[in-house]
Amino acid sequence: MNIFTVIFLLFLLASFAVQYWLSKRQINHVLSHRAEVPEAFKASIALEAHQKAADYTVAKDKLGNFDSVISVIVLLAMTLGGGISIAFNFWQGLGFSPLITGLGAMATVFLVMHLIELPTSIYQTFIIEDRFGFNNSTPKQFITDQLLQLSLMMIIGLPILALILWVMESIGASWWIWAWAILMGFSLLMSWLFPTLIAPLFNKFTPLEDGSLKDKINQLLERCGFQSNGIFIMDGSRRSGHGNAYFTGMGNNKRIVFFDTLVESLADDELEAVLAHELGHFKCKHVIKMLIASAVMSLIGFAVLGWLIEEPWFYSGLGVDEPSKAAALLLFMLVSPVFTVFMQPISSFFQRKFEFEADSFASQHAEAKKLISGLVKLYSENASTLTPDPLYSAFHYSHPPAAIRIEHLESAMQSS
Ligand SMILES: [Zn+2]
């Protein structure tokens, strides 16, 4: 057996074991705190809501564990099991150019993997989300969404993949810098176009009506010196009862988006505080920092691929008998998460640090008290657990656990 196969299997086993163990810890921790609302939330969250959050968290984690088992099996079947080789041999038999062969084989593997994951996502939407009263999607909506996503992959994903494969085939040893530059340019273009071109395909965006909420928001934007290209309400309730608010787009194409569910459940000054938090992410340069971090990470990724692509053991070690540029790219996309998953706590750490900074910004430009009450409502209505396992949340959470986050906001209130 190739030594790289052994390393791959060890990492796969370790990443699965660590995630499974963390998830077991999370389930046990949540269940052991299910009987009682934590002291800090006794006045604001009912026992019934707390227990719903516990049951919802456990149900999602159990499904997540099942999904990881499936993912491990699929990854092994595709690599060492010969799935990728079968796809490439099939396309080679059709007698197309190397570029079309590579493109076809990659698309086939992605499609097959997506179809295998489909039952889990159906179960998530129509069983779990439904049981906890969050699902508003219909089978018709679900199928429409799937077809729309598939069409977008064909229209946007395939051409960009073809361009990258062409660069890999034609440019020589420095291909990986060019491929990286193309991918970066493409992602910037997509995030600029997303709010006006892609998002409206899935949801309806209505400009926020004139009135006291709009005035409040405009004053906040002015206080913070922030330019946006409009405030919109999105019909998130079409699919789900979960509420959220976000910024989208870049440069002069930035939009503020509130889910209709959020606008319904929060008071105006709570919405103002939630928005001030989101503005904090821009004003503290989190968005640009994340962008640079991901650009650096993908440059490193392409450089590593530039090295691996020349090494025969990379292919044979992962069950591919005939090296090709497309096979290398595909293997890299499928296998690299097995190795990078251990960096997740680092990225979670920085994300949580950014959340604290955005909260401080919000408490300077809006009322910290209203952010706290808004957050408590969001936790309660989204059935997010208030009692996550400390290790699980350190590994996975992009947001600080509720109790710690609110503690920080309260101390910001006292010091101001
Ligand atoms: Zn945030």
Side-chain angles (χ1 to χ4, degrees):
M1 201 193 266
N2 186 318
I3 182 77
F4 184 55
T5 308
V6 177
I7 295 172
F8 166 62
L9 288 174
L10 282 177
F11 266 86
L12 184 62
L13 184 68
S15 74
F16 175 76
V18 166
Q19 301 211 62
Y20 193 81
W21 172 69
L22 283 172
S23 162
K24 278 277 169 236
R25 281 185 60 107
Q26 168 83 337
I27 291 173
N28 291 338
H29 199 270
V30 167
L31 286 179
S32 69
H33 290 81
R34 186 182 181 278
E36 211 182 336
V37 181
E39 203 53 50
F41 298 95
K42 277 217 165 105
S44 47
I45 289 184
L47 179 64
E48 200 190 338
H50 174 67
Q51 296 191 327
K52 177 185 169 183
D55 298 340
Y56 182 52
T57 306
V58 169
K60 278 195 304 181
D61 264 288
K62 283 187 175 161
L63 182 66
N65 280 338
F66 173 75
D67 194 38
S68 329
V69 175
I70 300 288
S71 303
V72 168
I73 295 172
V74 170
L75 183 59
L76 286 173
M78 284 297 172
T79 52
L80 303 178
I84 292 177
S85 286
I86 293 172
F88 274 88
N89 288 337
F90 170 78
W91 279 87
Q92 255 149 19
L94 301 179
F96 291 113
S97 68
L99 191 120
I100 300 290
T101 303
L103 201 59
M106 286 182 82
T108 306
V109 169
F110 285 132
L111 189 65
V112 168
M113 289 179 73
H114 182 74
L115 289 176
I116 295 173
E117 297 274 335
L118 203 52
T120 314
S121 121
I122 292 172
Y123 187 84
Q124 159 92 35
T125 306
F126 293 103
I127 306 288
I128 294 188
E129 293 293 299
D130 211 69
R131 186 194 310 157
F132 291 93
F134 291 122
N135 177 41
N136 295 335
S137 196
T138 57
K140 186 177 164 223
Q141 175 82 63
F142 189 86
I143 294 169
T144 312
D145 287 349
Q146 290 291 327
L147 293 176
L148 197 53
Q149 280 167 18
L150 193 65
S151 322
L152 284 175
M153 286 304 293
M154 307 267 275
I155 297 166
I156 303 173
L158 280 186
I160 187 77
L161 189 56
L163 183 60
I164 288 177
L165 286 177
W166 178 81
V167 165
M168 293 175 85
E169 300 276 358
S170 343
I171 286 194
S174 67
W175 69 265
W176 55 276
I177 300 177
W178 291 96
W180 172 78
I182 290 169
L183 192 66
M184 287 300 106
F186 171 74
S187 0
L188 286 179
L189 181 70
M190 284 314 292
S191 35
W192 187 67
L193 289 175
F194 182 81
T196 39
L197 209 69
I198 312 281
L201 296 174
F202 293 90
N203 282 96
K204 210 169 100 197
F205 292 83
T206 322
L208 181 62
E209 281 172 30
D210 289 335
S212 61
L213 177 59
K214 194 171 175 182
D215 293 342
K216 236 182 197 356
I217 289 177
N218 280 329
Q219 281 162 19
L220 172 71
L221 294 179
E222 210 163 293
R223 280 206 299 284
C224 304
F226 188 87
Q227 298 273 336
S228 94
N229 202 2
I231 308 153
F232 292 83
I233 310 279
M234 186 187 107
D235 62 343
S237 61
R238 184 199 287 197
R239 294 186 184 80
S240 151
H242 289 296
N244 208 345
Y246 68 92
F247 273 92
T248 166
M250 348 181 326
N252 59 0
N253 208 13
K254 277 200 292 284
R255 279 182 169 190
I256 296 165
V257 176
F258 287 116
F259 282 40
D260 51 359
T261 35
L262 188 78
V263 177
E264 254 165 54
S265 52
L266 297 196
D268 285 4
D269 40 15
E270 290 168 340
L271 284 169
E272 182 194 23
V274 167
L275 183 60
H277 167 96
E278 297 299 327
L279 283 172
H281 283 308
F282 268 90
K283 286 288 164 180
C284 305
K285 301 205 162 43
H286 299 155
V287 180
I288 190 87
K289 283 178 189 166
M290 300 287 266
L291 203 69
I292 292 172
S294 84
V296 171
M297 289 308 291
S298 62
L299 183 61
I300 296 172
F302 271 109
V304 171
L305 179 56
W307 162 60
L308 291 173
I309 210 164
E310 308 294 341
E311 304 294 331
W313 51 260
F314 174 59
Y315 303 89
S316 59
L318 294 172
V320 170
D321 27 79
E322 207 171 321
S324 71
K325 309 283 192 222
L329 182 61
L330 180 58
L331 281 175
F332 190 75
M333 287 167 83
L334 297 188
V335 166
S336 58
V338 172
F339 296 91
T340 54
V341 70
F342 297 101
M343 282 154 60
Q344 166 108 38
I346 305 171
S347 114
S348 297
F349 172 82
F350 280 104
Q351 281 181 316
R352 289 195 300 271
K353 184 172 171 284
F354 290 167
E355 292 305 321
F356 285 131
E357 288 174 11
D359 278 348
S360 304
F361 181 91
S363 51
Q364 284 157 24
H365 295 87
E367 278 184 80
K369 213 173 91 194
K370 296 298 169 186
L371 185 53
I372 295 176
S373 64
L375 283 174
V376 170
K377 278 190 195 169
L378 280 178
Y379 268 92
S380 172
E381 292 190 3
N382 286 326
S384 310
T385 180
L386 299 167
T387 57
D389 174 63
L391 275 184
Y392 179 93
S393 57
F395 197 95
H396 286 295
Y397 275 24
S398 62
H399 286 66
I404 299 175
R405 199 171 163 193
I406 288 170
E407 222 169 81
H408 271 247
L409 277 166
E410 277 168 349
S411 67
M413 258 157 65
Q414 274 148 18
S415 64
S416 67

